[in-house]
Amino acid sequence: MNQSSNIFKNWVPKWLIKVTIFIVILPAVSMLAAYIGGVSSAASFYGLDPTDIQFSIVLYYVGIASFFPLERRFFSYFASKTYFLMCVLLFTAINLLLYSTQNALLFLVLRYLGGVVTVGLIGVTINLIFSQFHSNRSRVLGYAVFYGTLLISNAFIYLFDAYIFQNYDFNVLYLAIIYVQIPGVLLLLLCLKTNLRLHQKRLPLLDLDWKSFVIYSTLLTLIAYVIMYGQYYNWFESIRIWVCVGSIILLLGIFILVQKNRKRPFIDLTIYKFRNFRIGALLLILYYISKGDLSAANTFLFNEMGLDSYHYAYIMLFNAIGIVVGITITARFLLRKRNMRLIWLTGFAFLLLYHIQMFFVFGSQANENSVVLPLFFQGLGNGILMLSIVFFTISSVPESKSFSASLSGVSFRFFAFTVSLALISFVNLKQVSVHYNELGNTITTLNSESGKRLQLYENLALAKGASTIKAKVVAKKLMGKAVANHTNILFARDYYYYMGVFIFFIMLGIALIPHLHFRFRKIGAEVIPI
């Protein structure tokens, strides 16, 4: 039965309910990577390395993943309207503090706390989303709406960042997030009924498992630190990486022991006994690593194709369209109980097509239209895979354990997201160095070609009024910049090539492993009769 009549006032139309929920949740999920379009701006503002800024994005994810189990107790204790308002006020306070400080340590702490508070906002909005659909369809359609919003938020973030970073100081971003949040909050409070409770049973705030929360949160933070900074400190050549890895092993052992001995565990570890859950978790990690990252191609898009931040943001809207189409079709297939492996193969096929097309985009004839179709295919693949894998993973365990499965799914997404960031940085560092050395050797040996290019740059500088000496200096700088740009393009081609191969083997595994598993069992039964 549709629950909207018990939650929203009678005069509120259904279209307004959906629009309100969307504009409420968008600022919250956008803060996960609010400066994804301005990492360099954030780094210069706080005096940090780009890696530190990426780590702050991951810390926001740690806050979400670690506080998720405790949030349910807070959600069930307070009246829903009161709880939502508390979360909004805390979210606003954190953004005001972020606006007011340039302290790097405080910035990282506030980013983590922002993730913690965001869990509350997400908890309320997910329940509101689920209330819009019939109980038999609420799981599929609820996840479709939520994850669709989560994925398409990137397109809005790029557009948002482009406007903020070109017209204001970096920290104005936090004020803008607050302003964007106000209309949705006011609309929702106006539409909801008084003394609303989205939960049936009120649970007391006693016996909260703070011990497991602290251990789990520390564990995720250390894992993120090792993945993000391992390359920076040359991995196990650094004592701090050794200490972090040792601490991870120790904390993991303690966490498992604590969960096994608790009557109500923080995470029910028995979910790992279910084969389909393990398959779903593995696919979730593989998907996040291979989902397609445009950051590898950004140098080419901005420098060679001449895209500015606004045009970059606008072409990302085609990615959002692909996500909406992919999630809509997948939700339909899931409700009709279509073959899940075919859905996965279709999703990965679109991601493979995206990587192949991007590989061939890099060239002198590339323009804005060259990346529109690849971006649409990437969005299509992401929409198909995100919804289908998440739904499969959560549905693979009994309903009583679905919360632990959902929580573990968030942790897997955090882990894979962190690995994907570190992987791009690692491949970038390695391949750019290789190509730069190769190009450097080519330039020194092919004197005629490099001499012509240097002479061209020198003539351009002389034509603009530079002296002979200054023109030679400018020519060398321009040559160095050209080499750097070209090495970045070669790195991007390498990245899309290797990811394409990786996705091909994932598809091969999805297609063949179930048949091989069945065949091995059949052979085993014939050789060793039972």
Side-chain angles (χ1 to χ4, degrees), residues 113-172:
L113 294 176
V116 169
V117 173
T118 298
V119 179
L121 294 171
I122 290 174
V124 173
T125 49
I126 282 182
N127 278 274
L128 291 175
I129 290 169
F130 282 3
S131 72
Q132 301 308 300
F133 306 105
H134 189 276
S135 57
N136 293 334
R137 308 170 68 201
S138 63
R139 270 183 125 187
V140 173
L141 297 178
Y143 285 126
V145 173
F146 174 70
Y147 285 108
T149 305
L150 182 64
L151 288 172
I152 66 173
S153 64
N154 276 351
F156 291 96
I157 290 168
Y158 279 115
L159 194 58
F160 197 60
D161 287 355
Y163 178 76
I164 295 295
F165 298 147
Q166 285 196 11
N167 296 282
Y168 302 97
D169 293 335
F170 170 80
N171 62 336
V172 174

Short mmCIF file of all heavy atoms in Angstrom, two decimals, residues 113-172:
data_model
loop_
_atom_site.label_atom_id
_atom_site.label_comp_id
_atom_site.label_asym_id
_atom_site.label_seq_id
_atom_site.Cartn_x
_atom_site.Cartn_y
_atom_site.Cartn_z
N LEU A 113 33.25 14.49 9.75
CA LEU A 113 31.99 14.76 10.45
C LEU A 113 30.86 15.05 9.47
O LEU A 113 29.70 14.71 9.72
CB LEU A 113 32.17 15.93 11.42
CG LEU A 113 33.12 15.68 12.60
CD1 LEU A 113 33.29 16.95 13.43
CD2 LEU A 113 32.59 14.54 13.48
N GLY A 114 31.20 15.69 8.34
CA GLY A 114 30.19 15.93 7.31
C GLY A 114 29.61 14.63 6.79
O GLY A 114 28.40 14.53 6.55
N GLY A 115 30.47 13.62 6.62
CA GLY A 115 29.99 12.30 6.19
C GLY A 115 29.07 11.67 7.22
O GLY A 115 28.05 11.07 6.88
N VAL A 116 29.43 11.83 8.51
CA VAL A 116 28.61 11.28 9.60
C VAL A 116 27.21 11.89 9.58
O VAL A 116 26.20 11.19 9.67
CB VAL A 116 29.30 11.54 10.96
CG1 VAL A 116 28.34 11.23 12.12
CG2 VAL A 116 30.57 10.70 11.09
N VAL A 117 27.13 13.20 9.45
CA VAL A 117 25.83 13.89 9.46
C VAL A 117 25.03 13.57 8.20
O VAL A 117 23.80 13.44 8.24
CB VAL A 117 26.04 15.42 9.60
CG1 VAL A 117 24.72 16.17 9.44
CG2 VAL A 117 26.66 15.74 10.95
N THR A 118 25.73 13.42 7.08
CA THR A 118 25.05 13.10 5.82
C THR A 118 24.29 11.79 5.90
O THR A 118 23.24 11.63 5.25
CB THR A 118 26.09 13.04 4.67
OG1 THR A 118 26.69 14.33 4.53
CG2 THR A 118 25.43 12.68 3.35
N VAL A 119 24.78 10.84 6.71
CA VAL A 119 24.08 9.57 6.88
C VAL A 119 22.66 9.81 7.38
O VAL A 119 21.71 9.15 6.94
CB VAL A 119 24.84 8.65 7.87
CG1 VAL A 119 24.08 7.35 8.06
CG2 VAL A 119 26.23 8.36 7.36
N GLY A 120 22.50 10.76 8.31
CA GLY A 120 21.17 11.07 8.83
C GLY A 120 20.25 11.61 7.75
O GLY A 120 19.08 11.20 7.64
N LEU A 121 20.76 12.53 6.93
CA LEU A 121 19.96 13.09 5.85
C LEU A 121 19.59 12.01 4.83
O LEU A 121 18.45 11.96 4.34
CB LEU A 121 20.74 14.21 5.16
CG LEU A 121 21.01 15.46 6.00
CD1 LEU A 121 21.97 16.40 5.28
CD2 LEU A 121 19.71 16.18 6.33
N ILE A 122 20.55 11.14 4.53
CA ILE A 122 20.29 10.04 3.59
C ILE A 122 19.25 9.08 4.17
O ILE A 122 18.35 8.61 3.46
CB ILE A 122 21.60 9.31 3.25
CG1 ILE A 122 22.50 10.20 2.39
CG2 ILE A 122 21.31 8.00 2.51
CD1 ILE A 122 23.87 9.63 2.13
N GLY A 123 19.37 8.79 5.48
CA GLY A 123 18.43 7.87 6.13
C GLY A 123 16.99 8.34 6.01
O GLY A 123 16.08 7.56 5.71
N VAL A 124 16.76 9.63 6.24
CA VAL A 124 15.40 10.19 6.15
C VAL A 124 14.90 10.14 4.71
O VAL A 124 13.78 9.70 4.43
CB VAL A 124 15.37 11.64 6.68
CG1 VAL A 124 14.01 12.27 6.42
CG2 VAL A 124 15.69 11.67 8.17
N THR A 125 15.75 10.59 3.77
CA THR A 125 15.31 10.67 2.37
C THR A 125 15.08 9.28 1.76
O THR A 125 14.15 9.11 0.95
CB THR A 125 16.33 11.45 1.52
OG1 THR A 125 17.65 10.94 1.76
CG2 THR A 125 16.30 12.93 1.87
N ILE A 126 15.89 8.29 2.14
CA ILE A 126 15.67 6.94 1.62
C ILE A 126 14.31 6.41 2.06
O ILE A 126 13.57 5.81 1.27
CB ILE A 126 16.80 5.98 2.07
CG1 ILE A 126 18.05 6.20 1.23
CG2 ILE A 126 16.35 4.53 1.95
CD1 ILE A 126 19.20 5.29 1.58
N ASN A 127 13.96 6.64 3.32
CA ASN A 127 12.65 6.21 3.81
C ASN A 127 11.52 6.93 3.10
O ASN A 127 10.47 6.35 2.82
CB ASN A 127 12.56 6.42 5.32
CG ASN A 127 13.21 5.31 6.11
OD1 ASN A 127 12.60 4.29 6.40
ND2 ASN A 127 14.48 5.49 6.44
N LEU A 128 11.73 8.20 2.80
CA LEU A 128 10.71 8.96 2.06
C LEU A 128 10.59 8.43 0.63
O LEU A 128 9.49 8.36 0.07
CB LEU A 128 11.07 10.45 2.04
CG LEU A 128 10.97 11.18 3.38
CD1 LEU A 128 11.46 12.61 3.23
CD2 LEU A 128 9.53 11.18 3.90
N ILE A 129 11.72 8.07 0.03
CA ILE A 129 11.70 7.51 -1.33
C ILE A 129 10.95 6.18 -1.35
O ILE A 129 10.08 5.94 -2.19
CB ILE A 129 13.14 7.32 -1.85
CG1 ILE A 129 13.80 8.67 -2.13
CG2 ILE A 129 13.14 6.48 -3.13
CD1 ILE A 129 15.29 8.60 -2.40
N PHE A 130 11.28 5.29 -0.39
CA PHE A 130 10.63 3.99 -0.35
C PHE A 130 9.12 4.11 -0.12
O PHE A 130 8.35 3.26 -0.55
CB PHE A 130 11.24 3.13 0.76
CG PHE A 130 12.57 2.52 0.39
CD1 PHE A 130 13.17 2.80 -0.82
CD2 PHE A 130 13.22 1.67 1.25
CE1 PHE A 130 14.39 2.24 -1.17
CE2 PHE A 130 14.44 1.11 0.93
CZ PHE A 130 15.02 1.39 -0.29
N SER A 131 8.71 5.16 0.58
CA SER A 131 7.29 5.33 0.88
C SER A 131 6.46 5.66 -0.36
O SER A 131 5.23 5.59 -0.32
CB SER A 131 7.11 6.43 1.93
OG SER A 131 7.35 7.72 1.36
N GLN A 132 7.12 6.03 -1.46
CA GLN A 132 6.40 6.45 -2.67
C GLN A 132 5.96 5.29 -3.54
O GLN A 132 5.23 5.48 -4.51
CB GLN A 132 7.28 7.40 -3.50
CG GLN A 132 7.71 8.65 -2.77
CD GLN A 132 6.53 9.37 -2.17
OE1 GLN A 132 5.62 9.78 -2.87
NE2 GLN A 132 6.53 9.51 -0.86
N PHE A 133 6.40 4.08 -3.20
CA PHE A 133 6.12 2.95 -4.08
C PHE A 133 5.42 1.83 -3.33
O PHE A 133 5.53 1.71 -2.11
CB PHE A 133 7.42 2.42 -4.70
CG PHE A 133 8.23 3.49 -5.39
CD1 PHE A 133 9.37 4.01 -4.81
CD2 PHE A 133 7.83 3.99 -6.62
CE1 PHE A 133 10.11 5.00 -5.43
CE2 PHE A 133 8.55 4.97 -7.25
CZ PHE A 133 9.69 5.48 -6.66
N HIS A 134 4.71 1.02 -4.08
CA HIS A 134 4.05 -0.16 -3.51
C HIS A 134 5.09 -1.06 -2.88
O HIS A 134 6.22 -1.18 -3.36
CB HIS A 134 3.30 -0.90 -4.63
CG HIS A 134 2.42 -1.98 -4.12
ND1 HIS A 134 2.89 -3.25 -3.85
CD2 HIS A 134 1.08 -2.00 -3.82
CE1 HIS A 134 1.89 -4.00 -3.42
NE2 HIS A 134 0.78 -3.28 -3.41
N SER A 135 4.74 -1.73 -1.79
CA SER A 135 5.70 -2.50 -1.01
C SER A 135 6.43 -3.55 -1.86
O SER A 135 7.61 -3.82 -1.63
CB SER A 135 5.00 -3.19 0.16
OG SER A 135 3.94 -4.02 -0.32
N ASN A 136 5.76 -4.15 -2.83
CA ASN A 136 6.41 -5.17 -3.67
C ASN A 136 7.45 -4.57 -4.62
O ASN A 136 8.29 -5.27 -5.14
CB ASN A 136 5.36 -5.92 -4.49
CG ASN A 136 4.45 -6.77 -3.61
OD1 ASN A 136 4.85 -7.18 -2.52
ND2 ASN A 136 3.24 -7.00 -4.08
N ARG A 137 7.36 -3.29 -4.86
CA ARG A 137 8.26 -2.65 -5.82
C ARG A 137 9.19 -1.65 -5.15
O ARG A 137 10.09 -1.11 -5.80
CB ARG A 137 7.43 -1.92 -6.88
CG ARG A 137 6.38 -2.78 -7.53
CD ARG A 137 5.45 -1.95 -8.39
NE ARG A 137 6.13 -1.41 -9.55
CZ ARG A 137 5.72 -0.36 -10.23
NH1 ARG A 137 4.63 0.28 -9.85
NH2 ARG A 137 6.38 0.06 -11.28
N SER A 138 8.97 -1.39 -3.86
CA SER A 138 9.69 -0.29 -3.20
C SER A 138 11.20 -0.48 -3.17
O SER A 138 11.95 0.47 -3.32
CB SER A 138 9.17 -0.09 -1.77
OG SER A 138 9.42 -1.24 -0.99
N ARG A 139 11.64 -1.73 -3.01
CA ARG A 139 13.09 -1.97 -2.94
C ARG A 139 13.77 -1.58 -4.24
O ARG A 139 14.75 -0.82 -4.25
CB ARG A 139 13.38 -3.44 -2.64
CG ARG A 139 13.46 -3.75 -1.15
CD ARG A 139 13.83 -5.19 -0.96
NE ARG A 139 15.01 -5.32 -0.14
CZ ARG A 139 15.63 -6.48 0.08
NH1 ARG A 139 15.20 -7.56 -0.50
NH2 ARG A 139 16.69 -6.51 0.84
N VAL A 140 13.25 -2.09 -5.35
CA VAL A 140 13.87 -1.82 -6.64
C VAL A 140 13.77 -0.34 -6.99
O VAL A 140 14.77 0.32 -7.31
CB VAL A 140 13.21 -2.67 -7.76
CG1 VAL A 140 13.75 -2.25 -9.13
CG2 VAL A 140 13.48 -4.14 -7.52
N LEU A 141 12.55 0.21 -6.94
CA LEU A 141 12.36 1.61 -7.35
C LEU A 141 12.99 2.58 -6.36
O LEU A 141 13.50 3.63 -6.76
CB LEU A 141 10.85 1.89 -7.50
CG LEU A 141 10.15 1.07 -8.59
CD1 LEU A 141 8.67 1.38 -8.62
CD2 LEU A 141 10.77 1.32 -9.95
N GLY A 142 12.98 2.24 -5.08
CA GLY A 142 13.63 3.09 -4.09
C GLY A 142 15.13 3.19 -4.32
O GLY A 142 15.70 4.29 -4.34
N TYR A 143 15.77 2.04 -4.53
CA TYR A 143 17.21 2.05 -4.84
C TYR A 143 17.49 2.74 -6.16
O TYR A 143 18.51 3.42 -6.32
CB TYR A 143 17.76 0.62 -4.86
CG TYR A 143 17.94 0.01 -3.50
CD1 TYR A 143 17.36 -1.22 -3.18
CD2 TYR A 143 18.68 0.66 -2.52
CE1 TYR A 143 17.52 -1.79 -1.92
CE2 TYR A 143 18.84 0.09 -1.25
CZ TYR A 143 18.26 -1.13 -0.96
OH TYR A 143 18.42 -1.67 0.28
N ALA A 144 16.58 2.58 -7.13
CA ALA A 144 16.77 3.21 -8.43
C ALA A 144 16.79 4.73 -8.30
O ALA A 144 17.67 5.41 -8.86
CB ALA A 144 15.66 2.79 -9.39
N VAL A 145 15.84 5.27 -7.54
CA VAL A 145 15.78 6.73 -7.35
C VAL A 145 16.99 7.22 -6.57
O VAL A 145 17.63 8.21 -6.94
CB VAL A 145 14.47 7.13 -6.63
CG1 VAL A 145 14.48 8.62 -6.29
CG2 VAL A 145 13.26 6.81 -7.51
N PHE A 146 17.35 6.51 -5.49
CA PHE A 146 18.46 6.98 -4.65
C PHE A 146 19.79 6.92 -5.39
O PHE A 146 20.53 7.91 -5.44
CB PHE A 146 18.54 6.14 -3.37
CG PHE A 146 19.74 6.49 -2.53
CD1 PHE A 146 19.83 7.69 -1.86
CD2 PHE A 146 20.82 5.61 -2.45
CE1 PHE A 146 20.94 8.02 -1.10
CE2 PHE A 146 21.94 5.93 -1.70
CZ PHE A 146 21.99 7.14 -1.02
N TYR A 147 20.10 5.77 -5.98
CA TYR A 147 21.40 5.64 -6.66
C TYR A 147 21.44 6.43 -7.95
O TYR A 147 22.51 6.88 -8.38
CB TYR A 147 21.73 4.16 -6.90
CG TYR A 147 22.15 3.46 -5.63
CD1 TYR A 147 21.32 2.54 -5.00
CD2 TYR A 147 23.37 3.76 -5.03
CE1 TYR A 147 21.69 1.93 -3.82
CE2 TYR A 147 23.74 3.16 -3.84
CZ TYR A 147 22.90 2.24 -3.24
OH TYR A 147 23.27 1.64 -2.06
N GLY A 148 20.28 6.62 -8.56
CA GLY A 148 20.23 7.51 -9.73
C GLY A 148 20.61 8.93 -9.34
O GLY A 148 21.41 9.59 -10.02
N THR A 149 20.06 9.40 -8.22
CA THR A 149 20.40 10.74 -7.72
C THR A 149 21.88 10.83 -7.36
O THR A 149 22.54 11.82 -7.67
CB THR A 149 19.54 11.07 -6.48
OG1 THR A 149 18.17 10.94 -6.79
CG2 THR A 149 19.81 12.50 -6.00
N LEU A 150 22.38 9.78 -6.72
CA LEU A 150 23.80 9.76 -6.33
C LEU A 150 24.71 9.86 -7.55
O LEU A 150 25.70 10.62 -7.54
CB LEU A 150 24.09 8.47 -5.56
CG LEU A 150 25.50 8.27 -5.01
CD1 LEU A 150 25.82 9.32 -3.96
CD2 LEU A 150 25.67 6.88 -4.43
N LEU A 151 24.39 9.13 -8.60
CA LEU A 151 25.25 9.11 -9.79
C LEU A 151 25.15 10.40 -10.61
O LEU A 151 26.16 10.93 -11.06
CB LEU A 151 24.89 7.91 -10.66
CG LEU A 151 25.31 6.53 -10.13
CD1 LEU A 151 24.73 5.43 -11.01
CD2 LEU A 151 26.82 6.39 -10.05
N ILE A 152 23.92 10.90 -10.80
CA ILE A 152 23.79 12.10 -11.64
C ILE A 152 24.22 13.36 -10.91
O ILE A 152 24.38 14.41 -11.53
CB ILE A 152 22.36 12.28 -12.18
CG1 ILE A 152 21.38 12.58 -11.04
CG2 ILE A 152 21.91 11.09 -12.98
CD1 ILE A 152 19.99 12.93 -11.53
N SER A 153 24.45 13.27 -9.59
CA SER A 153 24.89 14.45 -8.85
C SER A 153 26.22 14.98 -9.38
O SER A 153 26.49 16.18 -9.31
CB SER A 153 25.01 14.13 -7.35
OG SER A 153 26.01 13.17 -7.11
N ASN A 154 27.06 14.08 -9.94
CA ASN A 154 28.35 14.51 -10.48
C ASN A 154 28.19 15.55 -11.58
O ASN A 154 28.96 16.51 -11.67
CB ASN A 154 29.13 13.31 -11.02
CG ASN A 154 29.88 12.58 -9.94
OD1 ASN A 154 29.96 13.06 -8.81
ND2 ASN A 154 30.42 11.42 -10.25
N ALA A 155 27.18 15.36 -12.44
CA ALA A 155 26.96 16.32 -13.53
C ALA A 155 26.61 17.69 -12.96
O ALA A 155 27.10 18.72 -13.46
CB ALA A 155 25.83 15.82 -14.44
N PHE A 156 25.79 17.73 -11.92
CA PHE A 156 25.43 19.00 -11.30
C PHE A 156 26.62 19.61 -10.56
O PHE A 156 26.79 20.83 -10.53
CB PHE A 156 24.25 18.80 -10.35
CG PHE A 156 22.97 18.49 -11.04
CD1 PHE A 156 22.55 17.17 -11.21
CD2 PHE A 156 22.16 19.49 -11.57
CE1 PHE A 156 21.37 16.87 -11.86
CE2 PHE A 156 20.98 19.20 -12.22
CZ PHE A 156 20.58 17.89 -12.37
N ILE A 157 27.45 18.75 -9.96
CA ILE A 157 28.63 19.24 -9.24
C ILE A 157 29.57 19.96 -10.19
O ILE A 157 30.10 21.04 -9.87
CB ILE A 157 29.36 18.07 -8.54
CG1 ILE A 157 28.52 17.55 -7.38
CG2 ILE A 157 30.72 18.53 -8.00
CD1 ILE A 157 29.02 16.23 -6.82
N TYR A 158 29.82 19.38 -11.36
CA TYR A 158 30.71 20.01 -12.34
C TYR A 158 30.21 21.39 -12.73
O TYR A 158 30.98 22.36 -12.82
CB TYR A 158 30.86 19.13 -13.57
CG TYR A 158 31.84 18.00 -13.42
CD1 TYR A 158 31.40 16.67 -13.46
CD2 TYR A 158 33.19 18.23 -13.25
CE1 TYR A 158 32.30 15.61 -13.32
CE2 TYR A 158 34.09 17.19 -13.11
CZ TYR A 158 33.64 15.89 -13.15
OH TYR A 158 34.52 14.86 -13.00
N LEU A 159 28.91 21.50 -12.98
CA LEU A 159 28.32 22.78 -13.36
C LEU A 159 28.39 23.78 -12.21
O LEU A 159 28.73 24.95 -12.39
CB LEU A 159 26.87 22.56 -13.79
CG LEU A 159 26.18 23.71 -14.53
CD1 LEU A 159 26.94 24.07 -15.80
CD2 LEU A 159 24.74 23.34 -14.85
N PHE A 160 28.12 23.29 -11.03
CA PHE A 160 28.16 24.09 -9.81
C PHE A 160 29.58 24.61 -9.56
O PHE A 160 29.80 25.80 -9.30
CB PHE A 160 27.70 23.20 -8.65
CG PHE A 160 27.30 23.94 -7.42
CD1 PHE A 160 26.27 24.86 -7.44
CD2 PHE A 160 27.95 23.70 -6.22
CE1 PHE A 160 25.89 25.53 -6.29
CE2 PHE A 160 27.59 24.36 -5.07
CZ PHE A 160 26.55 25.28 -5.11
N ASP A 161 30.56 23.68 -9.63
CA ASP A 161 31.96 24.04 -9.39
C ASP A 161 32.46 25.04 -10.43
O ASP A 161 33.22 25.96 -10.10
CB ASP A 161 32.84 22.78 -9.42
CG ASP A 161 32.65 21.92 -8.19
OD1 ASP A 161 31.91 22.34 -7.29
OD2 ASP A 161 33.23 20.82 -8.14
N ALA A 162 32.05 24.84 -11.68
CA ALA A 162 32.51 25.73 -12.75
C ALA A 162 32.11 27.17 -12.45
O ALA A 162 32.90 28.10 -12.63
CB ALA A 162 31.92 25.29 -14.09
N TYR A 163 30.89 27.37 -11.98
CA TYR A 163 30.41 28.72 -11.67
C TYR A 163 31.12 29.29 -10.44
O TYR A 163 31.60 30.44 -10.46
CB TYR A 163 28.91 28.70 -11.43
CG TYR A 163 28.34 30.04 -11.05
CD1 TYR A 163 28.16 31.03 -12.01
CD2 TYR A 163 28.02 30.33 -9.72
CE1 TYR A 163 27.65 32.28 -11.67
CE2 TYR A 163 27.52 31.57 -9.37
CZ TYR A 163 27.33 32.54 -10.34
OH TYR A 163 26.85 33.76 -9.99
N ILE A 164 31.24 28.48 -9.38
CA ILE A 164 31.85 28.96 -8.13
C ILE A 164 33.32 29.30 -8.33
O ILE A 164 33.78 30.40 -7.97
CB ILE A 164 31.71 27.90 -7.02
CG1 ILE A 164 30.24 27.67 -6.65
CG2 ILE A 164 32.50 28.32 -5.77
CD1 ILE A 164 29.54 28.86 -6.05
N PHE A 165 34.09 28.37 -8.91
CA PHE A 165 35.54 28.55 -8.98
C PHE A 165 35.96 29.63 -9.98
O PHE A 165 37.06 30.16 -9.88
CB PHE A 165 36.22 27.22 -9.33
CG PHE A 165 36.00 26.15 -8.29
CD1 PHE A 165 35.91 24.82 -8.66
CD2 PHE A 165 35.87 26.47 -6.95
CE1 PHE A 165 35.70 23.83 -7.71
CE2 PHE A 165 35.66 25.49 -6.00
CZ PHE A 165 35.57 24.18 -6.38
N GLN A 166 35.10 29.96 -10.93
CA GLN A 166 35.44 31.01 -11.89
C GLN A 166 35.03 32.40 -11.41
O GLN A 166 35.52 33.40 -11.93
CB GLN A 166 34.79 30.72 -13.24
CG GLN A 166 35.47 29.60 -14.00
CD GLN A 166 35.06 29.57 -15.47
OE1 GLN A 166 34.43 30.49 -15.98
NE2 GLN A 166 35.42 28.50 -16.16
N ASN A 167 34.13 32.47 -10.44
CA ASN A 167 33.61 33.77 -10.03
C ASN A 167 33.88 34.15 -8.57
O ASN A 167 33.77 35.32 -8.21
CB ASN A 167 32.09 33.81 -10.26
CG ASN A 167 31.73 33.69 -11.72
OD1 ASN A 167 31.83 34.63 -12.49
ND2 ASN A 167 31.30 32.49 -12.13
N TYR A 168 34.24 33.15 -7.74
CA TYR A 168 34.40 33.43 -6.31
C TYR A 168 35.62 32.71 -5.76
O TYR A 168 36.24 31.89 -6.43
CB TYR A 168 33.15 32.97 -5.52
CG TYR A 168 31.87 33.62 -5.97
CD1 TYR A 168 31.01 32.95 -6.86
CD2 TYR A 168 31.50 34.89 -5.53
CE1 TYR A 168 29.83 33.53 -7.28
CE2 TYR A 168 30.32 35.47 -5.95
CZ TYR A 168 29.49 34.79 -6.82
OH TYR A 168 28.33 35.37 -7.23
N ASP A 169 35.95 33.03 -4.49
CA ASP A 169 36.99 32.28 -3.80
C ASP A 169 36.50 30.86 -3.54
O ASP A 169 35.30 30.60 -3.46
CB ASP A 169 37.33 32.95 -2.46
CG ASP A 169 37.99 34.31 -2.66
OD1 ASP A 169 38.60 34.51 -3.73
OD2 ASP A 169 37.88 35.17 -1.76
N PHE A 170 37.46 29.96 -3.32
CA PHE A 170 37.11 28.55 -3.18
C PHE A 170 36.10 28.29 -2.06
O PHE A 170 35.14 27.54 -2.23
CB PHE A 170 38.38 27.72 -2.91
CG PHE A 170 38.09 26.31 -2.51
CD1 PHE A 170 37.78 25.36 -3.47
CD2 PHE A 170 38.08 25.93 -1.18
CE1 PHE A 170 37.48 24.06 -3.11
CE2 PHE A 170 37.77 24.63 -0.80
CZ PHE A 170 37.48 23.70 -1.78
N ASN A 171 36.29 28.92 -0.89
CA ASN A 171 35.46 28.57 0.27
C ASN A 171 34.01 29.02 0.14
O ASN A 171 33.15 28.60 0.92
CB ASN A 171 36.06 29.14 1.56
CG ASN A 171 36.15 30.65 1.56
OD1 ASN A 171 36.20 31.27 0.49
ND2 ASN A 171 36.16 31.25 2.73
N VAL A 172 33.69 29.85 -0.86
CA VAL A 172 32.29 30.23 -1.11
C VAL A 172 31.45 29.00 -1.47
O VAL A 172 30.22 29.01 -1.31
CB VAL A 172 32.22 31.30 -2.22
CG1 VAL A 172 30.79 31.62 -2.62
CG2 VAL A 172 32.92 32.58 -1.76
#
